[in-house]
Amino acid sequence: MNNRRVVVTGYGAVSCVGNDVPTFWESLVNGRCGLGPITRFDAAEYRTRIAGEVKGFDVTRYMSPKEAKRLDLFCQYAIAASDEAMEKAGLPKELRDSGIDPSRVGVIVSSGIGGLQTMSDQDRLLLERGPGKISPLLIPMMIGDLASGNISIRYGAGGPNLGLVTACSTGCHSIGESFWVIKRDDADVMICGGAEASVVALGVAGFCALKAMSQRNDDPLHASRPFDLDRDGFVMSEGAGVLILEELEHAKKRGANILAEVVGYGATGDAYHITSPAPDGDGGARAIQMAMRHAGLNPEDIDYINAHGTATDLNDKFETMSIKRALGDAAYKVAVSSTKGTTGHALGAAGGIESIACIRAIETGIVPPTINYETPDPDCDLDITPNVARERKIRVALNSNLGFGGHNGVVIYRKFE
């Protein structure tokens, strides 16, 4: 197992700041925020009336209108990001006659919530017109594993195929578990990441009831303020982030362009509270330490951390504690940023989207900024790359995501050598 190295050969993104990786990355580096008033439904009575909606998404670039009607929006986003990732990796859309063994290509593209719009629409139909009017596609459009299922069918990928749910760490865990699938020789290629489309009335109402989201409705561009003293909650967004992971020799044999190497993965539980991170940062710290142990890295080897950084009071405070607990004195020397100031919080898609940010940071030597940082918080005293991108040699980048239920996920990427 330890001799099988895992590399990244492709990535694809759909986000509120760009529907492909080049546009997404340009927006991150320039701090171009994608948040604005909700347009999908009338949010006038909601406590929070802003979100990061995907804009200009043309599903007919990827499938026919008839096919699109059979898929919830989160699956459409997942397929779009997967198509870009496959093209970047130089992999064919049809694996069966490509010379690549399709049984050695797997998929873990997951959603934290799944087809919430489909569920909401069909529930309303049930109440208004009765059970006889429910669509036979309700279940296959609603359940979260169908991102992986549809992607597998689309490309003919017959390897390990599953979806997992760990709330906001879903995308991160999907990549990490795919790393182990390749390490243990159950696949040579994994299509992996997260997708989410929960900017719907029920989803927004639920998070409003938790009082977890920002109420800066009159100033959406400055509403998501990770690590800032005056932060007042996260701003929900949507999209998908998908990576192609590949066993090194398999990638080299077909002449693939290697973007980075995956070297470590950590997954832990806080065992503390359903919504609050552990106040001592222990669970997040152990996830970082586990990933570093698998990677054979020391704290001073970490150059960049793309933090979960949701802009909620407890997350940012306790996540800072977890980084300091895991890295010790080296925590003050590492470049940290939360790109959620720009993108908002894409929930189960966050780990996929933010992993792409880590890989692009390695490729370009640019640390994307934490925008909207105005007032320092003594409890968040790390170098969070405020407001302006910074050039820095980045050999090792770490993506961290935390989810309701006390789920902690960390994946470490290294410049391929």
Side-chain angles (χ1 to χ4, degrees):
M1 278 177 57
N2 290 333
N3 292 329
R4 286 177 62 83
R5 295 172 66 183
V6 180
V7 295
V8 181
T9 56
Y11 43 43
V14 174
S15 76
C16 66
V17 293
N19 297 335
D20 54 59
V21 170
T23 309
F24 160 75
W25 178 246
E26 182 186 17
S27 297
L28 289 196
V29 170
N30 291 289
R32 189 179 303 122
C33 182
L35 309 181
I38 292 172
T39 65
R40 301 278 174 79
F41 61 91
D42 183 0
E45 296 183 6
Y46 287 67
R47 187 190 306 269
T48 296
R49 300 186 293 278
I50 56 176
E53 296 177 339
V54 169
K55 296 167 280 291
F57 179 72
D58 181 5
V59 71
T60 61
R61 291 181 55 195
Y62 312 99
M63 64 191 74
S64 70
K66 182 178 179 180
E67 290 174 303
K69 287 181 179 179
R70 303 171 69 89
L71 300 174
D72 189 88
L73 191 56
F74 86 96
C75 273
Q76 295 179 23
Y77 290 159
I79 287 171
S82 297
D83 274 8
E84 183 186 9
M86 291 285 280
E87 182 177 358
K88 179 71 174 179
L91 289 169
K93 295 289 178 63
E94 176 51 69
L95 294 169
R96 291 182 181 91
D97 299 317
S98 67
I100 295 173
D101 183 353
S103 71
R104 300 285 296 174
V105 181
V107 189
I108 308 180
V109 178
S110 309
S111 177
I113 296 179
L116 194 57
Q117 185 67 68
T118 296
M119 184 190 305
S120 299
D121 291 346
Q122 292 294 304
D123 183 59
R124 183 166 54 251
L125 189 62
L126 172 66
L127 295 175
E128 293 175 354
R129 303 183 63 186
K133 297 298 183 179
I134 292 298
S135 169
L137 294 173
L138 165 61
I139 301 303
M141 288 178 68
M142 179 185 73
I143 52 180
D145 70 304
L146 260 292
S148 286
N150 280 295
I151 290 166
S152 169
I153 294 166
R154 183 177 182 84
Y155 307 134
N161 180 277
L162 60 143
L164 55 85
V165 178
T166 52
C168 301
S169 52
T170 294
C172 185
H173 281 138
S174 296
I175 294 168
E177 294 300 325
S178 295
F179 164 73
W180 280 124
V181 168
I182 295 174
K183 289 286 281 185
R184 66 177 180 249
D185 199 15
D186 288 339
D188 295 319
V189 179
M190 291 296 295
I191 306 163
C192 55
E196 205 77 87
S198 296
V199 183
V200 302
L202 181 61
V204 175
F207 280 112
C208 282
L210 282 173
K211 299 181 180 179
M213 295 198 293
S214 172
Q215 296 180 49
R216 284 188 170 86
N217 296 303
D218 296 330
D219 189 15
L221 296 181
H222 301 94
S224 182
R225 311 170 70 85
F227 301 110
D228 186 87
L229 181 65
D230 298 322
R231 63 191 182 274
D232 73 326
F234 75 88
V235 181
M236 186 193 298
S237 66
E238 59 179 358
V242 173
L243 302 183
I244 306 298
L245 303 191
E246 195 163 352
E247 191 274 326
L248 175 60
E249 296 306 317
H250 187 276
K252 289 168 65 176
K253 183 177 180 180
R254 65 180 191 85
N257 181 35
I258 295 172
L259 308 174
E261 183 173 5
V262 185
V263 292
Y265 168 53
T268 64
D270 285 341
Y272 172 70
H273 192 271
I274 57 171
T275 59
S276 171
D280 57 2
D282 174 65
R286 287 186 289 106
I288 293 172
Q289 291 167 335
M290 182 186 295
M292 290 194 302
R293 174 168 56 83
H294 289 311
L297 296 172
N298 297 313
E300 57 271 18
D301 295 323
I302 308 298
D303 299 307
Y304 170 55
I305 295 176
N306 189 294
H308 194 52
T310 59
T312 59
D313 179 49
L314 295 182
N315 177 93
D316 295 6
K317 176 181 178 179
F318 297 155
E319 186 175 12
T320 299
M321 295 175 67
S322 73
I323 293 171
K324 292 193 285 190
R325 185 166 183 155
L327 302 187
D329 292 341
Y332 292 97
K333 300 176 182 177
V334 66
V336 179
S337 70
S338 169
T339 47
K340 289 184 175 73
T342 301
T343 67
H345 189 357
L347 308 178
I353 291 169
E354 291 158 13
S355 285
I356 294 171
C358 286
I359 297 164
R360 290 296 291 142
I362 291 171
E363 290 183 292
T364 63
I366 298 175
V367 178
T370 304
I371 68 168
N372 299 327
Y373 185 79
E374 296 177 355
T375 308
D377 182 349
D379 291 328
C380 303
D381 58 346
L382 299 177
D383 176 7
I384 54 96
T385 320
N387 299 313
V388 179
R390 182 187 307 155
E391 291 187 2
R392 173 175 177 156
K393 184 177 180 180
I394 301 172
R395 180 173 175 267
V396 177
L398 181 154
N399 177 233
S400 174
N401 290 111
L402 318 175
F404 281 179
H407 308 298
N408 306 296
V410 170
V411 177
I412 299 178
Y413 303 92
R414 184 171 63 197
K415 187 178 183 65
F416 175 68
E417 297 169 345

